Amino acid sequence: MSASAFSSAPNAGRGLEGHVLRAAGTDTQADLMTRSEHWFMGARLTLAMISCWLLAIALVWRFVVGGNSALPDLASAAAALLVAPPILAAALASLRRPSLHGLTDQLVAVAMLASWASGDLLTAALLPIIMIAGHVLEERSLLGSQEAIRALERLVDTTTHRIAADGTVETVSASSLQTGDVLELRAGDRIPADGLIGSGQSSLDMASLTGESVPVEVTSGDRVLAGTINLSGVLTVEVTRTGDATALGQIISLMEVAEDAKPPITRLLERYAGPYMALIMTVAAAVWFASGSTAAMLAVLVASCPCAVVLAAPAASIASIAVAARHGILIKGTAFLENLADVSSLVIDKTGTLTTGQLALARVVPARGVDPDALLNRAAALGSLSAHPVSRALAHARPNAPPLTLEETTELHGLGLRAIMSNGTILCMGRPALLEAEGIDPGLTPDHDGPMVCLSENGRPLGWLLLSDQPRPEAANAMQELKALGLSRQILLTGDRQAVAERIGETVGISTIRAEVLPAEKMACVLEEIRLGNRPLVVGDGINDALALRAGAVGIAMGAESTDVALNSADLVLMQPNLHRIGTAIRLSRRCRRTIQTNVGMGVGWTAILIGLAAFNLLGAEGAVMAALLHNASTFAGLANAGRLLRFDETGPVVPQKGKL
C-alpha cells in the first residue's frame, strides 16, 4: 500500500546470541516480523478477502437478479465497513508519528471517507482492498533483506564437538560455547565461533561468509571465522570470540543497523511531507469546485500517493546491502553506500592493507661456500621452535625442512635462538648482536629495508636470511582498477620507514608516499585532502588508522581480523582482505545511485501524470479505483527495477574492469 510497509520491518539490534538461542526450524515469514506485525497483516488480508466475496455477491446479484433489492447496497456497505478499520488505524497512527511513509495512509483514508460521504460504496470498498493487496505484496518483496539476515544466523545455529578437560569429546550447541573452549572440527563441520587453530591443517569454504569461491588453506596458528565450513582433515580450535563478538555476529548487527537507516533522499522527501499533503488537498478541492465531480477529486487523492517515490531509495538500498553482504562487504548504513559513489581520491594504509601484514622470506644470502638450501633448512628447523613472527616466517618458508635433534634450546628475548644439537653442534640464529655476544663476527650487513637474521654454526657464520612484508598479490591490479574508476589520486599513508613505503609504493603503482606518520598526522593528511576539494576513500586495518577512517568521506576496514577500533571507526568492512572488493563496492554504490535516481524519476513522473489525468477526469467513472491500480503498477515497477540490483555478481575471480562503473 505504501512505504509504511517498509517501516514495519522488525527492530534491529537483536544480535547473534539471541537468534542462536531460538529453536531450530523457525525460519518462516513469522520470524521475519514481530508477532503483532504478522497478526496485523494476516487480519488485513483476511478482511480484504471477505470484502472481495461480499462485493462479488453484490455485483452478481445486481447484474443477474436485478430488481430493486437492497442486498447489493448492503453487501457493498458491509465490504466497505470491513476494510475501513485498518486504513483508518494506519492513518491515525501516522498522525501521531508524522512521516513520509504515513502520507499515503492519510490520503487513502481521506479518499475512503469522501467515498462514504458521497454514497459511492463500491469505491469505498474497492479502494482499500486494492491498497491492502498492494501493501501485502510490497511487504513480501521487502522481506528479502530479513531473510538474508536469517540465512546468516542459521550458519551457526548448529551443534559442535567440544573437548572437555579430561580429553573426552562432547556434543554441545553453539550457543553454549565460551571463550577458551577447545573444539574438535571434523570434515564437513561448520565452525560455530571465531577461534585459533591449535593443531591440524585443512581447507575452509568461506563462500557463505566472505564471497570467496576458492577454499582457503589453514594450518596451526591460523585464525578461523564462525560460519565457514571445514572441508577436510580434523582441526582443534580454541574459541576466541562467541556470539555477537564474532565476525559473523558483527555482520548481522551491521546488516540490521543498515536495514533501518534512512538514505539522505528519504530524509529530504520527509522534510516536505507536510507541504505536499497541503498541496494535494488544495488541488483536490480545486478539482471538485471546478468540475463538481467527486470521482475526479477521489482520483486526485489516490493518484497523489507517493508510494513509488518513497520506496525508490529503500528498495534499492536494501537490495544493494544484501548484494554487498554476498560479496563479503558490510555496509553500516545506506548513507555510506551513497557517499561511496562520490569518492574521488584514495588514502590507503600499508601494513596489513596493501601488504599481507605477515613477514615472508624475501632473500637468502649465504656465506661463501655455504649451500643456500642447507642454510634455509637449518633456519626453518630452528624457526619452528619459536612463536616469534620472524621464526614463524622462516618455518613457513620451508615447512618440510628436516628436523634437528636438539638437546637444549634457549630463546633470548629480543635477540634470537641458541640451540645445542645432540652431537654438540651449537647453532645461533637472530640479530647480529646475538652472534657478537658469542664472539662471532656476522660479517657485512646486507642492504635490506626489512627484518633480517643471521645464522651461525659452531662459531662460523653461515649467512643471512632477509624478510619483508610482501604486497598482496592483487594490490597492483586493484590500484589500477581504482584509477580507472576515477580515483587517480592515490596516497600511501604509513607509520613505517620511508624506504619500506617507497618499495611497496613502487610495486603497487602508488607514487605519493607519506611515511613515518603518527595516527594524528594520518588524520591531518585526510583532512588536508578534504580541504583540497577531494572526497577521500580511506582504507586501513589497525588502531593507528582509526582517526583517519573516521575523518574520510568513507572509511573501509580491511578484513574481518582488523582491530575492533578500526571496525568501529569504518563505514564499510571487507570481511576478506581482497583489495579488488574496494572496486566492487564502488561499482555497486554507483549502480545503486543510478537505480535510485531512475526510480525517483519514474515515481515523480508517473505520479504527476496520474494527478493530471485524474484532475481532468480522464480515468473514467471509477477514477479512484483506476488510479489505485495504476499507482500500484508504478510502485511495483520501481521494486522490479531495484530487484535488478540482485543480479550484480562479482563473487568469482575478479578481473580489473577498466572504465566500468
Side-chain angles (χ1 to χ4, degrees):
M1 162 176 141
S2 73
S4 58
F6 178 69
S7 64
S8 65
N11 294 329
R14 291 179 296 267
L16 176 64
E17 196 72 51
H19 291 304
V20 173
L21 292 176
R22 294 184 309 181
T26 58
D27 53 340
T28 62
Q29 181 184 342
D31 300 310
L32 306 182
M33 297 180 288
T34 64
R35 186 180 297 274
S36 60
E37 289 168 344
H38 185 259
W39 182 89
F40 189 50
M41 175 180 284
R44 283 179 295 174
L45 188 58
T46 300
L47 291 176
M49 293 176 64
I50 295 174
S51 297
C52 284
W53 279 107
L54 289 173
L55 287 179
I57 292 172
L59 292 173
V60 170
W61 191 276
R62 178 172 297 169
F63 292 103
V64 175
V65 177
N68 297 322
S69 174
L71 181 61
D73 290 337
L74 290 174
S76 298
L81 283 172
L82 283 175
V83 291
I87 297 295
L88 295 175
L92 291 174
S94 67
L95 291 175
R96 291 193 296 270
R97 295 183 295 275
S99 70
L100 187 63
H101 295 155
L103 185 60
T104 295
D105 297 325
Q106 297 171 23
L107 289 170
V108 174
V110 170
M112 184 185 66
L113 292 175
S115 299
W116 273 96
S118 65
D120 189 352
L121 298 178
L122 182 62
T123 299
L126 278 178
L127 185 58
I129 289 172
I130 294 171
M131 302 305 273
I132 286 173
H135 184 163
V136 172
L137 292 175
E138 290 169 18
E139 191 83 45
R140 288 287 300 174
S141 298
L142 292 174
L143 286 176
S145 62
Q146 283 290 312
E147 177 55 32
I149 293 175
R150 298 303 176 270
L152 289 176
E153 292 162 0
R154 289 193 291 272
L155 292 180
V156 291
D157 187 9
T158 183
T159 58
T160 188
H161 305 291
R162 181 170 60 190
I163 302 176
D166 60 2
T168 59
V169 178
E170 55 183 346
T171 301
V172 297
S173 64
S175 59
S176 66
L177 294 177
Q178 296 180 355
T179 301
D181 286 348
V182 178
L183 309 179
E184 181 182 86
L185 298 172
R186 303 162 187 173
D189 286 353
R190 191 178 292 275
I191 300 174
D194 291 359
L196 191 67
I197 298 177
S199 63
Q201 60 183 25
S202 180
S203 300
L204 296 185
D205 179 359
M206 304 184 71
S208 59
L209 187 63
T210 66
E212 295 297 322
S213 57
V214 179
V216 177
E217 300 297 324
V218 293
T219 187
S220 177
D222 290 337
R223 295 187 177 275
V224 294
L225 300 179
T228 56
I229 301 174
N230 180 26
L231 296 178
S232 61
V234 177
L235 300 175
T236 60
V237 174
E238 180 182 351
V239 175
T240 57
R241 292 186 295 191
T242 63
D244 293 346
T246 65
L248 181 61
Q250 293 177 37
I251 294 176
I252 294 174
S253 297
L254 292 178
M255 286 190 69
E256 289 176 333
V257 170
E259 185 186 30
D260 283 351
K262 293 180 180 179
I265 192 168
T266 301
R267 293 195 295 270
L268 177 66
L269 294 172
E270 286 184 341
R271 187 185 309 169
Y272 297 100
Y276 181 78
M277 181 70 174
L279 174 64
I280 294 304
M281 296 301 293
T282 302
V283 171
V287 168
W288 186 74
F289 279 115
S291 65
S293 171
T294 302
M297 178 194 69
L298 295 176
V300 168
L301 292 173
V302 176
S304 60
C305 292
C307 297
V309 178
V310 175
L311 284 175
S317 298
I318 288 179
S320 297
I321 289 171
V323 170
R326 190 175 73 224
H327 289 77
I329 305 167
L330 309 182
I331 303 172
K332 293 186 179 181
T334 51
F336 304 129
L337 184 64
E338 292 196 9
N339 292 340
L340 185 60
D342 295 320
V343 293
S344 58
S345 66
L346 175 70
V347 177
I348 189 165
D349 174 53
K350 179 186 74 68
T351 307
T353 305
L354 272 176
T355 67
T356 62
Q358 297 178 347
L359 292 176
L361 182 66
R363 188 158 52 103
V364 176
V365 182
R368 181 175 298 179
V370 176
D371 180 32
D373 283 338
L375 173 61
L376 183 53
N377 282 336
R378 284 289 173 92
L382 284 174
S384 65
L385 304 176
S386 171
H388 191 278
V390 170
S391 297
R392 290 188 60 188
L394 292 173
H396 287 160
R398 186 65 62 86
N400 298 320
L404 300 176
T405 305
L406 303 174
E407 286 189 355
E408 180 184 335
T409 303
T410 305
E411 185 167 3
L412 304 173
H413 181 68
L415 292 175
L417 286 168
R418 184 180 188 275
I420 302 177
M421 298 178 61
S422 58
N423 60 5
T425 301
I426 300 176
L427 300 174
C428 294
M429 184 178 74
R431 298 173 60 185
L434 174 63
L435 273 66
E436 291 170 354
E438 295 284 325
I440 305 170
D441 181 8
L444 293 176
T445 303
D447 183 15
H448 183 61
D449 57 20
M452 62 182 78
V453 297
C454 47
L455 177 63
S456 70
E457 178 181 307
N458 289 332
R460 175 197 175 200
L462 299 180
W464 295 84
L465 299 111
L466 314 182
L467 301 100
S468 62
D469 183 9
Q470 298 296 321
R472 296 186 183 279
E474 77 281 4
N477 284 338
M479 295 305 103
Q480 286 298 116
E481 180 184 5
L482 292 177
K483 288 178 181 178
L485 288 170
L487 281 70
S488 56
R489 178 170 172 79
Q490 298 180 350
I491 301 173
L492 194 161
L493 199 60
T494 179
D496 207 342
R497 291 169 296 160
Q498 183 73 29
V500 178
E502 288 179 352
R503 175 175 61 83
I504 297 297
E506 182 180 358
T507 302
V508 302
I510 298 179
S511 58
T512 304
I513 310 293
R514 298 193 182 177
E516 302 179 41
V517 292
L518 299 173
E521 293 172 323
K522 286 190 173 185
M523 182 179 71
C525 175
V526 174
L527 294 176
E528 177 64 22
E529 281 294 295
I530 295 174
R531 282 192 290 271
L532 292 175
N534 296 316
R535 294 182 57 80
L537 169 63
V538 182
V539 186
D541 75 320
I543 293 176
N544 59 348
D545 301 318
L547 294 175
L549 288 169
R550 181 66 71 181
V554 177
I556 296 182
M558 185 73 175
E561 293 303 318
S562 299
T563 64
D564 290 340
V565 175
L567 290 174
N568 292 330
S569 301
D571 306 315
L572 282 77
V573 179
L574 304 185
M575 293 308 299
Q576 192 73 1
N578 185 334
L579 291 167
H580 281 304
R581 290 294 174 246
I582 301 174
T584 296
I586 294 175
R587 281 188 289 272
L588 177 60
S589 69
R590 292 178 180 178
R591 187 172 297 185
C592 175
R593 183 174 62 180
R594 289 199 302 270
T595 301
I596 291 175
Q597 292 171 344
T598 301
N599 283 355
V600 169
M602 289 170 51
V604 170
W606 188 248
T607 299
I609 292 172
L610 282 182
I611 292 175
L613 293 174
F616 290 99
N617 202 19
L618 298 177
L619 295 179
E622 301 294 340
V625 175
M626 182 59 66
L629 292 172
L630 295 176
H631 153 82
N632 278 330
S634 67
T635 301
F636 290 124
L639 289 174
N641 188 44
R644 293 173 62 244
L645 283 168
L646 297 174
R647 299 170 57 188
F648 183 95
D649 187 9
E650 293 184 3
T651 54
V654 184
V655 177
Q657 303 178 48
K658 295 184 179 181
K660 182 179 177 181
L661 302 182

